[in-house]
Amino acid sequence: MDFTYDDEQTALREAVRGLATKAYGSFEDRRQVVAQAPGFDEAQWARLAEMGVLGLPFSEDDGGVAAGPVEIGLVCQELGRVLAPEPFLASVVHAGGLVAAAGSPEQRADLLGRLAAGEIVLAAADTSPGDRWSADGGGVTAAQDGEAWTLTGVRDPVPNGARADHLVVTALLPDGGTGLFVVEGSAATRSDYAVIDGSRAARVQLDATPAVPLGEPGHDLRPTIATISDITRIMGAQQALGVMQAQVASTTDYLKSRKQFGVTLNSFQALTFRAADMYVSLELAHSVVDWATMVVGSGTRADIASAADRVGLQVSRAARHIGQEAIQLHGGIAMTAEYSVGVRTAHLAVLEQWLGGAQHHLTRLAATVTDHETVEALG
Amino acid sequence: MDFTYDDEQTALREAVRGLATKAYGSFEDRRQVVAQAPGFDEAQWARLAEMGVLGLPFSEDDGGVAAGPVEIGLVCQELGRVLAPEPFLASVVHAGGLVAAAGSPEQRADLLGRLAAGEIVLAAADTSPGDRWSADGGGVTAAQDGEAWTLTGVRDPVPNGARADHLVVTALLPDGGTGLFVVEGSAATRSDYAVIDGSRAARVQLDATPAVPLGEPGHDLRPTIATISDITRIMGAQQALGVMQAQVASTTDYLKSRKQFGVTLNSFQALTFRAADMYVSLELAHSVVDWATMVVGSGTRADIASAADRVGLQVSRAARHIGQEAIQLHGGIAMTAEYSVGVRTAHLAVLEQWLGGAQHHLTRLAATVTDHETVEALG
Amino acid sequence: MQLELSAEDAAFREEMRTYFTTEFPQDIRDTVLEGRELSQEQIVRSQQALNAAGLAVPHWPEEWGGRGWTDLQRHLWHEEMQAAGVPTPLAFNASMIGPVIAQFGTEEQKARFLPATANLDIWWSQGFSEPDAGSDLASLRTTAVRDGDDWIVNGQKTWTTLGQFGDWIFTLVRTDPEVKKQAGISMLLIDMTSPGVEVRPIELIDGSHEVNEVWFDDVRVPGDLMVGELNSGWTIAKFLLGNERVGVAPVGATKRALATLKRNAGDLLDDPLTRARVAELENELLALELTALRVVAHSAGGEPHPASSVLKLKGTELQQAVSQLALDLAGPGSLAYGAEDDSEVPGWARRSAPTYLNLRKASIYGGSNEIQRQIIARTILGL
Amino acid sequence: MQLELSAEDAAFREEMRTYFTTEFPQDIRDTVLEGRELSQEQIVRSQQALNAAGLAVPHWPEEWGGRGWTDLQRHLWHEEMQAAGVPTPLAFNASMIGPVIAQFGTEEQKARFLPATANLDIWWSQGFSEPDAGSDLASLRTTAVRDGDDWIVNGQKTWTTLGQFGDWIFTLVRTDPEVKKQAGISMLLIDMTSPGVEVRPIELIDGSHEVNEVWFDDVRVPGDLMVGELNSGWTIAKFLLGNERVGVAPVGATKRALATLKRNAGDLLDDPLTRARVAELENELLALELTALRVVAHSAGGEPHPASSVLKLKGTELQQAVSQLALDLAGPGSLAYGAEDDSEVPGWARRSAPTYLNLRKASIYGGSNEIQRQIIARTILGL
């Protein structure tokens, strides 16, 4: 039982933090990058590839370095800390994760190799309008004609969908079950739009669009898809943790430096106590994020699903609390787009959707309370 | 639309406040009175009768003065303010209310006349172990033999049940439905016990115990019983309002006078802001209590039921908040039985049971949210 | 105690409801009811319609368009307006500078400004807040220095809501730097087309442009545009900010927002946790509305009722809570913030994230909730 | 990062679990598991059983019965103890005065007191709080004045938990009234059978008698019963109060309380709102337990980890929240507080109201939650 990074992990964190801070340590730089398509910095994407970050999760055969969830998580955390807009979570963790889990050796070597090299961007398209965090493929249907497959339907929102070179799409199979398909980005009808935190998403329309099945065609991949969604949630929670750490640090700094009524704000006990409560939320969330990340490394599909629910609930609640209090304790300045604090809160609101939202997870957990006597942290 | 007391109501309030404060303005006096059976002061009961308070709700024919819910409510509020242990709510509002609603003219004149005169105490027995605020009579069955009726079953808790001269008991009728019966207190097997706030309740065992039907025998009185329960809840909310007002006042006084670290506690902004939040809870609850009381005067059974749910939810939440914060802001002293603050919080916890509890009412209200577009304060 | 409206008040409410729902321009109401943004033209047209009906400035002196209503009647007017989706009259004009000029202005100022203010022929902006002041308004630094009969103004204001539409701005300026900070402040009316006035937009986190910085660089202001006595600005500002008892809490608008959300939610309301959240919010809104009624029923004379702070505090919390529920119900659809109108994601869901973020301001602007708690603790509880 | 326990720690935990669930006196565990009150005899017998098994004071110096465990092992010991319903060793002895005497005491004091303290042959009481001090401990007024080699003690202590059972009391007394208030305080050990010591019960709002006032009227205390240097009492008190990293939050006990409540709740768990409350509490308890593990895993040396305040704050909140859920589930049955044991209202429901009220103390005693927030704000956040 150990909650600390080892030396290699610490070195990786320092390296990623250095790269991320160099690019986005000044919030204005981030602001300019997200102001135009594709909403992130292609050069930074290449630098992340160079550092080996984009291939972290993938096996060496697939062009990666086979790092574990702790390493992937700390990258998410560091990127979250500076609101780095590069689509690591969407492209590497989620879409890349689906390819790694379901693709044939050739598909993995091709797609993941190019992804790790920073040559392409992938996007996962699994949500249709009205969907609420299901991974069952509804909204897009797959049709087969001999060896050829086509997809029809609408996916929206698809994070980074317009920029993606290839889309990894869930779809209902003709004989039941859900499959995974690769669609060329250019083959789909895509409308790019801004998300509230400055990131980009797209509506993706598929209309008998040619598609290539990932792995053996025609198999029901729902369990795989669900697990990769769960892992993505846990890594989204890591990203949120980085954001929340930055929120607490900014708020603390502000209370120490900002003067009103002739004194610094930390003279007002009502404010410092609220900062203390933010810290409590942060630390409790931190513990659950670390735990869930370790469960990814050692748990069964069911363990990972449960960990995703638990971290989803804890971090969604903490994100709401910390995001709102960070704005309130800063006052008006945090309402402006030029200042990082409010945008971080916007990003937390977006990450909640990645996580699945508190009530969704609470409902799932509530269904299980009579299945166990206690919830045990250690197995 | 008017939220103020008229001159007569104000005079009544002053009179009741005077009587209540004289008896229990010193908390030690209250403590001594509740320390022994019957848990209240018979002499004070007589004084309330003398002042006309015990007959307030009843018609003049029944020995009362036919006052409205506003008058009854302000009595509850004033008694709550000093934690007066006399069973006005249990005996006059609840049990008396059932007699007034269901009794024959003779029964009303007899029972209510003596109640108004302070000669007897009544208690309503409508709850059996495991019941959760239903008024359907379950737990006690009525049997008829010619003109004679007997009841069998257990009622527990029955507030003031051991002292009551007559018990007003709900029971399942042989042909279905629920009836109301009067049982001589001495005819039942009763175990008296203390409630956490110093009041008394009893387990009442009926074993083919003789009983007299209230009004025409054999009619299903569920709607009547439910409405009287709802009115009792609203009056219980009035009593809770008095308690909460006293809690906010005590807390404010304490923060102004108590010194720590060389200054009075109101130098600590975190504490004064929490007192401000207590005041907010109090005022919002006050508004709903006043409103629900007026609905008793002018609404239908359904309106009163809905008002009881709304006031039950609002006041239960406020009671929890204010009760807990009053203790916390006082610190250790409020944990002691010698000091009024903690006992007031205990009384609020007891009143929550009278009210029905937040979650019970929330569930009922949640069932209705799609029945209306908005909830309107004014008809 | 009496729950029913008097016959007179009931008739009054009916009159309001009828006007708002049948005579007022429908396109403007639709815009509000669907949660879209009003254009400048719509805001002006709205207020002019109200003014023509005698409903823009009912609380002003009767000589200048006021109606001599009771506070309860004003409350009913305000709630019916919100329930019908009619924009409330521009606060800077109707609730702020109008009453101030009526109270403190010269006869010339009244004649010059009040009719145009009521009719929104002049769009007023508010120039109080400054970058380093925040809740500590009295630490303002914008200066006005005598030059003959005129004042020369230099400095910067910020958080000037809708300043991009402003014709005139009422400002607090420091006219005596030597005295205790509250004592050296005056109020000046400044024509925003004057040389040296510059308005710079501030982009907010929801992508909106609703507040601005306003810079003053040697702006010359004629002496007859000072309101009230020299160095009496603080008194006037307190009057202006504490003037309002009616409509302090956005009760009607929040009720409407929740009702709309319920309609939009559809099947999502089958979830017992969601229903419970709605029920809890409806109950708290009822408590808030009843409290607002108690305040208007009790208020007397021109003094602000201290419970106004309760209304502001709880009112903004509930407004924010409804926006959070909308965000939660929108789910992944809330990401589609910038999607085109033909998106399958419904408009309410697409607007849920910006609305949630935008409304964080509600507990900051116009006296933060910390200031409200302080008022309650000090003024009401004596702490 | 590694979730699994090492083989050694897993074996350690198994050893603890086996002892607690198979060898420890069953009647004592049953009393705890059913939420009934332990008698004095049971508390003594419990600690003596633990001491015989080498499990009463594992964190003391090995010379005096300590085991040289890691913090993680102490955490596992503590959690397994709570999970099994084994009372934790009396804190006044095991966590407070024992470590203090071991750290600051003379060799004579160690030999005289430590074995008897570990074995609960001496029952210690704590004499720190005073009626007018509250959280401001350093403002204490009880005095000790030199008389030859002895000290004469006068004053009053309060909130002395279980003082009715106390044999000895460790006190903070003012030995120098002239200096700054923290500087003039010393620690004295006082035999509670000494002439002039009087213990008076304080009845609490749940009807329990667990705290007391202790009065000192010219109590003569031999000079060799001062712990540490003269006027070093404040340093010792800080050591004593900040000594604990393990078991700061009642995680295991609260988990057990919630598990028991679920079992008792039966059909009431069909209510989706109740299920959601349980699920939320279970998740927060998991977060708390994981945080406690992070703290023990990170702590090094004798310094208290500042996150202990997080554990205390959240731990007491959750403990209170579970007691509130019990009260809500008990419903009207919660009124039957004083009913006889043969009541049809189940025991857990009858105890729900006193437990709810009693646990309000959890956020007041032993460093109120306001003090914990202050420690977090100052020590951790530097505010």
Side-chain angles (χ1 to χ4, degrees):
Chain A
M1 209 279 318
D2 177 12
F3 278 81
T4 55
Y5 292 139
D6 63 26
D7 290 349
E8 278 183 44
Q9 289 163 342
T10 303
L12 174 64
R13 185 182 65 180
E14 294 312 313
V16 175
R17 185 177 292 185
L19 191 62
T21 307
K22 193 163 173 211
Y24 301 115
S26 155
F27 182 67
E28 186 55 29
D29 292 342
R30 192 260 184 195
R31 211 180 162 210
Q32 286 180 12
V33 164
V34 301
Q36 47 209 356
F40 65 90
D41 180 359
E42 302 272 6
Q44 181 76 354
W45 189 244
R47 284 189 287 269
L48 286 166
E50 222 167 281
M51 189 177 271
V53 167
L54 302 188
L56 270 185
F58 311 126
S59 73
E60 293 179 24
D61 286 350
D62 298 343
V65 298
V70 174
E71 286 77 7
I72 302 163
L74 69 82
V75 170
C76 290
Q77 207 181 113
E78 292 306 322
L79 297 179
R81 197 186 302 277
V82 296
L83 296 178
E86 284 69 37
F88 181 78
L89 190 62
S91 195
V92 175
V93 178
H94 195 194
L98 290 168
V99 172
S104 67
E106 296 72 27
Q107 288 172 323
R108 297 204 307 265
D110 171 37
L111 289 168
L112 301 181
R114 289 191 288 143
L115 176 60
E119 294 164 18
I120 56 170
V121 169
L122 301 180
D126 64 354
T127 300
S128 287
D131 278 358
R132 296 179 78 76
W133 310 290
S134 79
D136 66 2
V140 172
T141 53
Q144 186 173 16
D145 182 10
E147 295 287 286
W149 289 79
T150 58
L151 303 183
T152 299
V154 173
R155 289 279 181 242
D156 186 12
V158 180
N160 305 102
R163 166 61 184 83
D165 300 285
H166 311 278
L167 299 162
V168 182
V169 187
T170 59
L172 297 174
L173 295 173
D175 299 328
T178 303
L180 280 166
F181 297 84
V182 178
V183 170
E184 295 309 293
S186 55
T189 307
R190 300 183 288 185
S191 337
D192 185 37
Y193 56 77
V195 181
I196 195 69
D197 61 351
S199 65
R200 316 289 300 181
R203 176 181 186 276
V204 173
Q205 185 170 339
L206 302 167
D207 192 3
T209 306
V212 177
L214 268 181
E216 280 288 299
H219 286 282
D220 182 13
L221 295 173
R222 272 180 296 190
T224 299
I225 296 167
T227 296
I228 301 299
S229 293
D230 288 331
I231 293 172
T232 304
R233 286 186 184 117
I234 292 167
M235 295 305 152
Q238 284 274 8
Q239 191 160 321
L241 178 60
V243 181
M244 293 190 291
Q245 286 169 338
Q247 289 294 63
V248 171
S250 291
T251 304
T252 306
D253 290 346
Y254 191 79
L255 292 179
K256 278 189 260 201
S257 57
R258 167 75 170 172
K259 281 195 171 189
Q260 283 208 334
F261 304 104
V263 292
T264 50
L265 288 178
N266 63 355
S267 315
F268 297 100
Q269 193 192 41
L271 306 185
T272 62
F273 275 30
R274 282 163 70 175
D277 285 336
M278 291 170 73
Y279 178 80
V280 171
S281 282
L282 174 65
E283 286 306 303
L284 291 167
H286 190 153
S287 304
V288 180
V289 169
D290 276 354
W291 167 80
T293 303
M294 290 189 274
V295 170
V296 171
S298 63
T300 62
R301 280 198 198 289
D303 292 338
I304 295 171
S306 172
D309 282 328
R310 297 201 171 280
V311 82
L313 174 57
Q314 192 75 25
V315 172
S316 294
R317 293 261 191 259
R320 207 54 78 91
H321 173 216
I322 291 172
Q324 293 176 359
E325 287 291 78
I327 292 179
Q328 186 70 26
L329 294 181
H330 276 83
I333 182 92
M335 289 299 299
T336 67
E338 283 181 35
Y339 196 75
S340 60
V341 168
V343 180
R344 278 200 217 105
T345 298
H347 186 50
L348 287 173
V350 169
L351 281 173
E352 276 187 56
Q353 301 309 326
W354 282 85
L355 289 167
Q359 194 170 314
H360 170 72
H361 294 297
L362 180 59
T363 301
R364 287 169 49 94
L365 292 171
T368 72
V369 293
T370 40
D371 303 346
H372 52 253
E373 186 169 270
T374 56
V375 177
E376 293 301 326
L378 298 169
Chain B
M1 209 281 315
D2 177 11
F3 278 82
T4 54
Y5 293 140
D6 63 25
D7 289 348
E8 280 183 43
Q9 289 163 341
T10 302
L12 175 64
R13 184 182 64 179
E14 294 311 315
V16 175
R17 185 176 293 185
L19 191 61
T21 306
K22 195 164 170 211
Y24 301 115
S26 155
F27 181 66
E28 186 54 27
D29 292 343
R30 193 259 186 198
R31 214 183 158 210
Q32 286 180 11
V33 163
V34 302
Q36 46 208 356
F40 65 89
D41 179 0
E42 303 272 5
Q44 180 75 355
W45 189 245
R47 284 190 287 270
L48 287 164
E50 222 167 281
M51 191 179 267
V53 167
L54 303 188
L56 270 183
F58 311 125
S59 72
E60 294 180 24
D61 286 350
D62 298 341
V65 298
V70 173
E71 286 77 6
I72 303 163
L74 70 81
V75 170
C76 291
Q77 206 181 115
E78 293 306 323
L79 297 180
R81 196 186 303 276
V82 296
L83 295 179
E86 283 69 38
F88 181 78
L89 189 62
S91 194
V92 175
V93 177
H94 195 193
L98 290 168
V99 172
S104 67
E106 296 72 27
Q107 288 173 322
R108 296 202 310 265
D110 171 37
L111 289 168
L112 301 180
R114 290 191 290 143
L115 177 60
E119 295 164 16
I120 56 169
V121 169
L122 300 180
D126 64 354
T127 300
S128 287
D131 278 357
R132 298 180 76 78
W133 310 288
S134 79
D136 66 1
V140 172
T141 54
Q144 186 173 16
D145 181 11
E147 295 287 286
W149 289 79
T150 58
L151 303 183
T152 299
V154 173
R155 288 278 182 244
D156 186 10
V158 180
N160 305 101
R163 165 62 184 84
D165 301 286
H166 311 277
L167 299 162
V168 181
V169 187
T170 59
L172 297 174
L173 295 173
D175 299 329
T178 303
L180 279 166
F181 296 84
V182 179
V183 170
E184 295 309 292
S186 55
T189 306
R190 299 182 287 185
S191 335
D192 186 36
Y193 57 77
V195 180
I196 195 68
D197 61 350
S199 65
R200 313 291 301 182
R203 174 178 186 277
V204 173
Q205 185 170 340
L206 302 167
D207 191 5
T209 307
V212 178
L214 270 181
E216 278 289 299
H219 286 283
D220 182 15
L221 294 173
R222 271 179 297 189
T224 300
I225 296 167
T227 296
I228 301 300
S229 292
D230 288 331
I231 293 172
T232 303
R233 286 188 183 115
I234 292 167
M235 295 306 152
Q238 285 274 8
Q239 190 160 321
L241 178 61
V243 182
M244 294 190 292
Q245 286 169 336
Q247 289 294 63
V248 172
S250 291
T251 305
T252 308
D253 289 346
Y254 191 78
L255 292 178
K256 278 189 262 200
S257 58
R258 166 77 169 172
K259 281 195 169 186
Q260 284 208 331
F261 304 103
V263 293
T264 51
L265 288 179
N266 63 353
S267 315
F268 297 99
Q269 193 191 40
L271 306 186
T272 61
F273 275 30
R274 283 164 69 176
D277 285 336
M278 290 169 73
Y279 178 80
V280 171
S281 281
L282 174 65
E283 286 306 303
L284 291 167
H286 190 153
S287 304
V288 180
V289 169
D290 276 354
W291 167 81
T293 303
M294 291 189 275
V295 170
V296 171
S298 63
T300 63
R301 280 198 198 287
D303 292 339
I304 294 170
S306 172
D309 282 328
R310 297 201 171 281
V311 82
L313 174 57
Q314 192 75 26
V315 172
S316 294
R317 292 262 193 257
R320 205 57 74 94
H321 173 215
I322 291 171
Q324 294 176 357
E325 287 291 79
I327 292 179
Q328 186 71 26
L329 294 181
H330 276 82
I333 182 90
M335 290 298 298
T336 68
E338 282 181 35
Y339 197 75
S340 61
V341 167
V343 180
R344 278 200 217 104
T345 297
H347 187 50
L348 287 172
V350 169
L351 281 172
E352 276 187 55
Q353 301 308 326
W354 282 85
L355 290 166
Q359 194 170 312
H360 170 73
H361 294 297
L362 180 59
T363 301
R364 287 169 50 94
L365 291 170
T368 73
V369 294
T370 40
D371 302 345
H372 52 253
E373 186 168 275
T374 55
V375 176
E376 293 301 327
L378 298 169
Chain C
M1 293 225 179
Q2 162 89 29
L3 198 53
E4 289 73 31
L5 290 176
S6 69
E8 190 190 341
D9 287 333
F12 174 89
R13 180 167 68 162
E14 195 50 40
E15 182 193 329
M16 292 296 121
R17 188 172 292 180
T18 302
Y19 170 78
F20 292 136
T21 56
T22 64
E23 298 185 40
F24 185 83
Q26 185 70 35
D27 71 298
I28 298 176
R29 290 180 59 211
D30 288 344
T31 305
V32 171
L33 292 172
E34 290 161 19
R36 287 179 284 119
E37 207 172 325
L38 289 164
S39 69
Q40 180 182 14
E41 183 275 332
Q42 284 178 309
I43 297 172
V44 172
R45 186 152 50 86
S46 169
Q47 182 150 342
Q48 293 182 345
L50 291 174
N51 199 34
L55 301 177
V57 291
H59 53 301
W60 288 14
E62 295 190 41
E63 161 181 25
W64 299 109
R67 302 288 297 269
W69 290 344
T70 62
D71 280 344
L72 174 59
Q73 288 172 321
R74 281 190 61 212
H75 174 88
L76 295 170
W77 161 78
H78 192 263
E79 292 302 305
E80 290 298 325
M81 200 156 45
Q82 286 186 85
V86 172
T88 50
L90 190 70
F92 310 110
N93 287 39
S95 307
M96 295 183 174
I97 194 62
V100 161
I101 292 175
Q103 176 81 12
F104 298 97
T106 62
E107 288 311 309
E108 290 70 26
Q109 287 171 338
K110 291 180 193 176
R112 177 174 175 188
F113 289 113
L114 286 179
T117 298
N119 206 45
L120 201 41
D121 297 327
I122 295 175
W123 184 303
W124 284 96
S125 290
Q126 181 180 18
F128 281 16
S129 295
E130 297 193 4
D132 288 324
S135 289
D136 183 11
L137 191 57
S139 69
L140 62 87
R141 293 186 195 163
T142 297
T143 57
V145 177
R146 268 286 184 204
D147 183 42
D149 283 346
D150 298 342
W151 295 94
I152 305 299
V153 177
N154 279 287
Q156 183 197 349
K157 296 292 177 180
T158 192
W159 311 125
T160 305
T161 301
L162 302 181
Q164 66 268 43
F165 305 142
D167 301 307
W168 283 73
I169 184 167
F170 52 94
T171 59
L172 293 179
V173 292
R174 189 160 300 287
T175 38
D176 185 344
E178 304 298 322
V179 294
K180 193 167 148 286
K181 59 187 189 177
Q182 281 86 352
I185 294 173
S186 301
M187 179 177 281
L188 279 182
L189 308 178
I190 304 179
D191 183 338
M192 291 177 78
T193 61
S194 309
V197 176
E198 189 189 350
V199 178
R200 299 182 195 165
I202 299 176
E203 189 193 343
L204 293 190
I205 47 173
D206 62 335
S208 69
H209 170 203
E210 61 179 36
V211 293
N212 302 270
E213 297 173 347
V214 181
W215 296 71
F216 300 94
D217 180 14
D218 282 339
V219 176
R220 179 167 296 272
V221 181
D224 64 355
L225 290 173
M226 180 166 290
V227 183
E229 302 292 310
L230 180 65
N231 296 327
S232 69
W234 191 249
T235 307
I236 298 174
K238 279 200 297 183
F239 170 87
L240 182 151
L241 296 171
N243 192 36
E244 205 43 273
R245 282 181 310 285
V246 170
V248 174
V251 181
T254 307
K255 277 168 69 177
R256 184 163 46 66
L258 184 57
T260 305
L261 182 58
K262 284 202 294 184
R263 205 164 47 241
N264 290 330
D267 292 350
L268 295 173
L269 281 180
D270 294 345
D271 180 342
L273 300 187
T274 300
R275 291 184 84 94
R277 283 177 72 182
V278 171
E280 191 106 45
L281 286 169
E282 287 189 340
N283 223 46
E284 295 214 77
L285 278 166
L286 172 67
L288 181 68
E289 180 172 6
L290 289 165
T291 305
L293 283 165
R294 278 173 67 213
V295 169
V296 296
H298 281 205
S299 63
E303 283 305 297
H305 193 288
S308 291
S309 289
V310 174
L311 299 178
K312 168 79 164 59
L313 188 58
K314 195 71 191 178
T316 55
E317 283 177 5
L318 291 177
Q319 193 179 19
Q320 292 173 336
V322 171
S323 80
Q324 290 193 65
L325 179 59
L327 181 68
D328 292 341
L329 294 181
S334 68
L335 297 193
Y337 156 68
E340 300 295 322
D341 280 348
D342 62 356
S343 164
E344 288 92 343
V345 178
W348 69 269
R350 283 184 273 127
R351 285 189 296 270
S352 64
T355 302
Y356 161 67
L357 290 168
N358 182 277
L359 285 178
R360 301 314 308 168
K361 76 184 179 196
S363 49
I364 298 172
Y365 293 178
S368 71
N369 281 3
E370 288 72 43
I371 295 286
Q372 305 305 331
R373 285 197 180 86
Q374 192 156 313
I375 292 171
I376 293 168
R378 289 211 184 140
T379 312
I380 302 180
L381 301 179
L383 289 172
Chain D
M1 292 221 182
Q2 162 88 28
L3 197 53
E4 288 73 30
L5 291 176
S6 68
E8 188 190 342
D9 287 334
F12 175 88
R13 181 167 65 162
E14 195 50 40
E15 182 193 331
M16 292 297 122
R17 187 172 293 179
T18 303
Y19 171 77
F20 292 136
T21 57
T22 64
E23 299 185 41
F24 186 84
Q26 185 69 35
D27 70 298
I28 298 176
R29 291 180 58 212
D30 287 344
T31 305
V32 172
L33 292 172
E34 289 160 22
R36 288 179 284 121
E37 208 172 323
L38 289 164
S39 69
Q40 180 183 10
E41 183 274 332
Q42 283 178 309
I43 296 173
V44 171
R45 186 154 47 89
S46 169
Q47 182 149 342
Q48 293 183 344
L50 291 173
N51 199 36
L55 301 177
V57 291
H59 53 300
W60 287 15
E62 297 190 38
E63 161 183 21
W64 299 108
R67 302 289 298 268
W69 291 343
T70 63
D71 278 344
L72 175 58
Q73 287 173 320
R74 281 190 60 212
H75 174 88
L76 295 171
W77 161 78
H78 192 265
E79 292 303 302
E80 290 300 323
M81 201 157 43
Q82 285 186 84
V86 172
T88 51
L90 190 70
F92 309 111
N93 286 38
S95 308
M96 295 184 175
I97 195 62
V100 161
I101 292 175
Q103 175 82 10
F104 299 96
T106 62
E107 288 311 308
E108 289 71 26
Q109 287 171 338
K110 290 179 195 175
R112 176 174 177 189
F113 289 113
L114 287 180
T117 298
N119 206 46
L120 201 42
D121 297 327
I122 294 174
W123 183 303
W124 285 96
S125 290
Q126 181 180 20
F128 282 15
S129 294
E130 297 193 6
D132 287 325
S135 289
D136 183 11
L137 191 57
S139 69
L140 62 88
R141 293 187 195 161
T142 297
T143 57
V145 178
R146 268 283 185 205
D147 183 41
D149 284 347
D150 299 341
W151 294 93
I152 306 299
V153 177
N154 279 287
Q156 185 197 349
K157 297 292 178 178
T158 193
W159 312 126
T160 304
T161 301
L162 303 182
Q164 67 266 41
F165 305 142
D167 301 307
W168 283 74
I169 184 166
F170 52 94
T171 59
L172 293 178
V173 292
R174 189 160 300 287
T175 37
D176 185 345
E178 304 300 322
V179 295
K180 193 166 149 281
K181 58 187 187 177
Q182 280 87 350
I185 294 173
S186 301
M187 180 177 282
L188 278 182
L189 309 178
I190 304 179
D191 182 339
M192 291 176 79
T193 62
S194 309
V197 177
E198 190 189 351
V199 179
R200 298 181 195 166
I202 299 175
E203 189 193 342
L204 294 189
I205 47 174
D206 62 335
S208 69
H209 169 204
E210 61 180 35
V211 293
N212 302 270
E213 298 174 346
V214 182
W215 295 72
F216 300 93
D217 181 14
D218 283 338
V219 176
R220 179 167 297 270
V221 181
D224 63 355
L225 290 173
M226 180 168 290
V227 183
E229 302 291 310
L230 180 65
N231 296 327
S232 69
W234 190 249
T235 307
I236 299 175
K238 279 200 297 183
F239 170 86
L240 183 152
L241 296 171
N243 192 35
E244 206 43 272
R245 284 179 308 286
V246 170
V248 174
V251 180
T254 307
K255 276 168 70 178
R256 185 163 46 68
L258 184 57
T260 305
L261 183 57
K262 283 202 293 185
R263 207 164 46 241
N264 290 329
D267 292 351
L268 295 172
L269 281 180
D270 295 344
D271 180 341
L273 300 185
T274 300
R275 292 184 84 92
R277 282 176 73 183
V278 171
E280 192 106 45
L281 285 169
E282 287 189 339
N283 223 45
E284 294 213 78
L285 277 166
L286 172 66
L288 180 68
E289 181 172 6
L290 289 164
T291 305
L293 282 166
R294 280 174 66 215
V295 169
V296 295
H298 282 206
S299 63
E303 284 304 296
H305 192 288
S308 292
S309 288
V310 173
L311 299 178
K312 168 80 163 61
L313 188 59
K314 195 71 191 180
T316 55
E317 283 177 5
L318 291 177
Q319 192 180 19
Q320 292 174 335
V322 171
S323 79
Q324 289 193 65
L325 180 59
L327 182 67
D328 293 342
L329 294 181
S334 69
L335 297 194
Y337 156 68
E340 300 295 321
D341 281 348
D342 61 355
S343 165
E344 288 91 344
V345 178
W348 70 269
R350 283 184 272 129
R351 284 189 295 271
S352 64
T355 303
Y356 161 67
L357 290 167
N358 181 277
L359 285 177
R360 301 315 307 166
K361 77 184 178 194
S363 48
I364 297 173
Y365 292 178
S368 71
N369 281 3
E370 289 71 43
I371 295 287
Q372 305 305 331
R373 285 196 179 85
Q374 192 156 312
I375 292 171
I376 294 169
R378 289 209 184 142
T379 312
I380 303 181
L381 301 178
L383 290 171

